[in-house]
Structures are given as C-alpha cells and as structure tokens.
Amino acid sequence: MADALGFSSAVIVAGGSGRRMGRPKQLLPLGGKPVLVHTIEAFKQVPFVRQIVVVTPPENQGILKKYFSDLVFALPGETRLESVKNGVACVDKKAVLIAVHDGARPLVSAQKITDCLHAAKTYGAAVLAVPVKDTVKTGADGFVTRTLDRSSLWAAQTPQTYQRDILERALAQFGSEKEATDESQLVEKTGVKVRLVPSDYKNNKITTPEDLVCAEAWVGASTVYRTGLGFDLHRLEPGRKLVIGGVEIPHAKGFLGHSDGDVVLHAICDAILGALCAGEIGILFPPTDPSIKGICSVDIAKKVLAVMREHGAALDHIDATLITEEPKIKPHYEAVRRSLARVFEMPLERVSFKAKSHEKVGEIGRGEAAMCQAVATLKIRQ
Ligand code: MG
C-alpha cells in the first residue's frame, strides 16, 4: 500500500511570528503539547509521507527535536512563499509528490492528507477546501458593493499537494509574487487545473484566540485512553549484571538474555506496544538478530517510544511490579522510578514501581528467575 502513491514529502511552514496571538501560534500549548507537534504527528500517521521538512526558526527546531528525531529543517524567508521555496529546496530527490501545509493547522486528519495526495497523483495539483458557510460580500468605504454567489465559493485549506515538477515550475516562474497567499495561485497561473478535495471544518488554521479554544475542544473530544499489559521473565545466572529499570543493582546474579535482560523495561515496552496494538518487542528486536546481541534495554525503550509517537500517542502513566526473591528491591525503589521517568521521558509522579517476593515458592522463590508485570496507559489521538 505504501507504494500506491510513491515517495511523498511534506513541507510544513511554521515561520510566522504570531502577531495576532502575542507569541508564535505554532508553539502555543494544545492538549499538553505545542500546536506544531500535533501538526507533525498527523503527517507521521501517513505511511506515504516518507520525509517531513519543517520550515521554522532555529529556536523552534530545538523544541521539535525533543519530540522527533528525523525531521529535516529549513529556515523561513521574508514571505510565506519564500518559506515554501526554502522548504521545497530541502525535499528529497526521490519525492514524486509534495504536500505543503500550514504549521498552525494541527487538526488535519491522516485521511484528508491521503485523499489530497491521491488527487495530486491523478490531477497534478490539489487543495483541501470547504464550502463557504457565510454569505460573502465585497465592500468599499463601509458599504456593500457586491454579493458573491456562495454556491461557487470554497475556502482553501492545506495541505495543498502537487506533483513535484508542477510545483517546482510554478515556484520558479511566479515565486517572486509577494501578494500570493498560497502556492496554488501560482500553479493556477501555469495553466494546471487544481483539484478541489472536500475537507472538514475541523482543519481550521489557528489564527485567533477563539480558534485555539475550538482546537482544545476537538483535541479533547478526539483523544482516547488505552491501557496495555506487559509481562517478562528472565533467568538469573551467576556472574551477569543485574539491571532493573535501567539501574544496575549490585548482586551475585544477573539476568540471562539476548539483551541485558532488563525485565522491567521489557515488560513496560510490551505494555506500551500492547496499548498501541503494535505487537511486542520480540518483533521489533528479534532474538535471532546477531547485530543486537547485548543491546542495552534503554535503546529498546527509545525505539518503542519512537513507534509510540508515530502512532500519535503519548504516555500518561506506567506501573510495574517486579517479582523476585532476591536481592531486596525496596532500597532501590526511588532510583528505579527516577530512571524509568528519565527513560520514558515522563514526570516522576506518573511513574510507579514496586516489588514483591514469591514467598520462596517455585523457580522465582528459589532465586532462579525474576519476572515483571506492567501496565502502560496512553493518550491516543483518533
Ligand atoms: Mg525480556
């Protein structure tokens, strides 16, 4: 399916100064994270979009790097069109389709992005748009001069999607026109007919404080909580390091495993993947792969966090119970909690860790193995 459209790149323009909102609107908090992070997450959910170029000042780039590791950055120009040109110049040579999007439209759906890309593949150029709801009049000197025929009016949104050569030609020919408010106007001037793709009114551009209130309501209404369950068990063998939740604990025995055998991190990672319905860590890191022998489980956790973010999800809470006979874990509770909070990039107060003995029953009771059970609760955007 990912080949149906071919390699597509997104150029997200987020260079505005936020004159109407007092500060850059792309960075205003929405549902607990910056507006622009929501926007990027929407494109991350489209498998055809293989590259995301964000046109934004250096100070914003630092904030985005905390959320995403694979963005390409370009610097904004004096006008929106110059910013688009700077972004398009960074598009991968393999890209056949380019989607240009406003950073301040965080509620675009993956389905609408996909619809618009399909239309560009068929027609060369396409824009998301909604029928105008209000009656639109032109005016001069405080009086109506004309009432426009509403049935033919569409309000253009983004993304606006193009076959690469069509967009590049339009930017080269007409890209110096200062008054153009979108690049579709330039493509129209080249004679290419731009396809209108029906969108929804949710995909609004955050421009005024009222827009942000509406966006908060949409984010709240479209966020669901899901819980996943994780379990792991490893043998304890003499002479191995004992690593629990990323903390090395002095003990005569440690976990036997392909990795460092950190049962707590493994169980939490499986709980996260469970909440996403995205398999388990044995699929992401097959024990048969010699290149990952001895891998640090923190690296496994980082990969799982990347998968989680690609699903547009965020961790809300984790709770893990280690079941082991020895050593005594209680003295290490706080060190393990702090480590888990660091590894999973969460506030300490949403991370729970505890341990139980197995009352000397069975293999765990004899100190031959230890196991962990964990739950992870995620906020997922629908
Ligand atoms: Mg394991």
Side-chain angles (χ1 to χ4, degrees):
M1 188 61 187
D3 292 333
L5 279 168
F7 192 115
S8 301
S9 290
V11 173
I12 297 176
V13 185
S17 60
R19 274 186 298 273
R20 275 169 285 197
M21 302 284 275
R23 56 189 275 210
K25 57 199 171 203
Q26 299 90 352
L27 296 182
L28 290 171
L30 172 64
K33 53 193 169 188
V35 163
L36 188 51
V37 170
H38 289 270
T39 309
I40 294 167
E41 282 174 354
F43 280 85
K44 285 263 177 198
Q45 290 175 44
V46 182
F48 311 109
V49 175
R50 308 273 289 278
Q51 181 200 29
I52 298 177
V53 180
V54 185
V55 188
T56 202
E59 61 268 26
N60 297 0
Q61 297 176 14
I63 294 166
L64 294 177
K65 282 175 187 166
K66 291 182 193 154
Y67 290 87
F68 309 100
S69 58
D70 56 353
L71 301 176
V72 174
F73 290 108
L75 291 173
E78 287 286 303
T79 63
R80 181 196 150 83
L81 270 184
E82 278 181 33
S83 293
V84 170
K85 278 199 267 187
N86 292 352
V88 170
C90 294
V91 163
D92 193 293
K93 293 280 168 277
K94 291 193 284 295
V96 289
L97 296 174
I98 298 175
V100 180
H101 188 70
D102 296 324
R105 288 188 196 269
L107 297 174
V108 65
S109 69
Q111 186 59 55
K112 292 297 175 196
I113 296 168
T114 307
D115 290 350
C116 207
L117 284 166
H118 273 292
K121 185 175 183 185
T122 306
Y123 300 100
V127 299
L128 284 187
V130 283
V132 170
K133 289 190 279 191
D134 296 317
T135 299
V136 181
K137 297 176 186 292
T138 58
D141 302 324
F143 289 92
V144 171
T145 52
R146 201 153 70 93
T147 299
L148 301 179
D149 173 14
R150 193 174 63 184
S151 66
S152 67
L153 291 176
W154 290 78
Q157 301 178 340
T158 68
Q160 305 194 343
T161 54
Y162 309 94
Q163 291 174 11
R164 183 198 190 113
D165 54 330
I166 287 175
L167 177 60
E168 287 181 340
R169 196 175 343 122
L171 288 173
Q173 243 179 303
F174 301 108
S176 56
E177 298 200 358
K178 289 204 167 25
E179 65 277 13
T181 50
D182 70 0
E183 55 295 330
S184 163
Q185 292 166 60
L186 314 184
V187 172
E188 292 155 32
K189 285 189 178 186
T190 66
V192 171
K193 288 183 85 172
V194 179
R195 180 76 171 174
L196 288 164
V197 179
S199 183
D200 51 48
Y201 294 95
K202 189 173 80 169
N203 182 24
N204 194 21
K205 187 173 180 180
I206 293 180
T207 311
T208 65
E210 297 89 327
D211 297 330
L212 194 60
V213 174
C214 289
E216 280 287 0
W218 275 114
V219 167
S222 59
T223 299
V224 294
Y225 286 80
R226 292 224 179 93
T227 299
L229 176 67
F231 165 83
D232 199 28
L233 180 146
H234 278 254
R235 283 175 183 276
L236 285 164
E237 296 278 336
R240 302 258 316 172
K241 275 198 297 190
L242 182 66
V243 184
I244 290 175
V247 177
E248 193 173 331
I249 292 176
H251 188 52
K253 294 179 185 173
F255 293 122
L256 186 67
H258 191 61
S259 64
D260 56 19
D262 189 331
V263 285
V264 173
L265 288 187
H266 294 182
I268 294 171
C269 286
D270 269 354
I272 294 169
L273 293 172
L276 297 169
C277 302
E280 42 99 0
I281 53 175
I283 296 170
L284 290 181
F285 297 93
T288 48
D289 181 354
S291 72
I292 54 167
K293 189 166 169 52
I295 186 172
C296 170
S297 295
V298 171
D299 294 335
I300 294 176
K302 293 296 176 195
K303 166 91 179 177
V304 168
L305 284 184
V307 170
M308 179 186 79
R309 288 181 181 134
E310 280 170 18
H311 281 74
L315 264 169
D316 187 61
H317 176 255
I318 53 177
D319 181 21
T321 301
L322 176 70
I323 300 142
T324 187
E325 207 63 30
E326 54 180 21
K328 289 293 164 225
I329 302 298
K330 203 171 275 181
H332 305 288
Y333 276 4
E334 283 314 296
V336 174
R337 274 185 80 215
R338 279 197 302 277
S339 170
L340 293 176
R342 205 164 42 242
V343 170
F344 291 102
E345 300 169 26
M346 294 175 70
L348 188 60
E349 61 271 21
R350 295 198 199 168
V351 176
S352 165
F353 171 72
K354 55 206 185 294
K356 294 277 173 192
S357 88
H358 210 253
E359 297 293 332
K360 304 208 182 303
V361 176
E363 294 85 352
I364 293 174
R366 291 194 295 273
E368 294 167 17
M371 68 177 180
C372 183
Q373 297 177 337
V375 288
T377 303
L378 270 56
K379 286 196 278 191
I380 302 175
R381 180 176 147 184
Q382 295 293 286

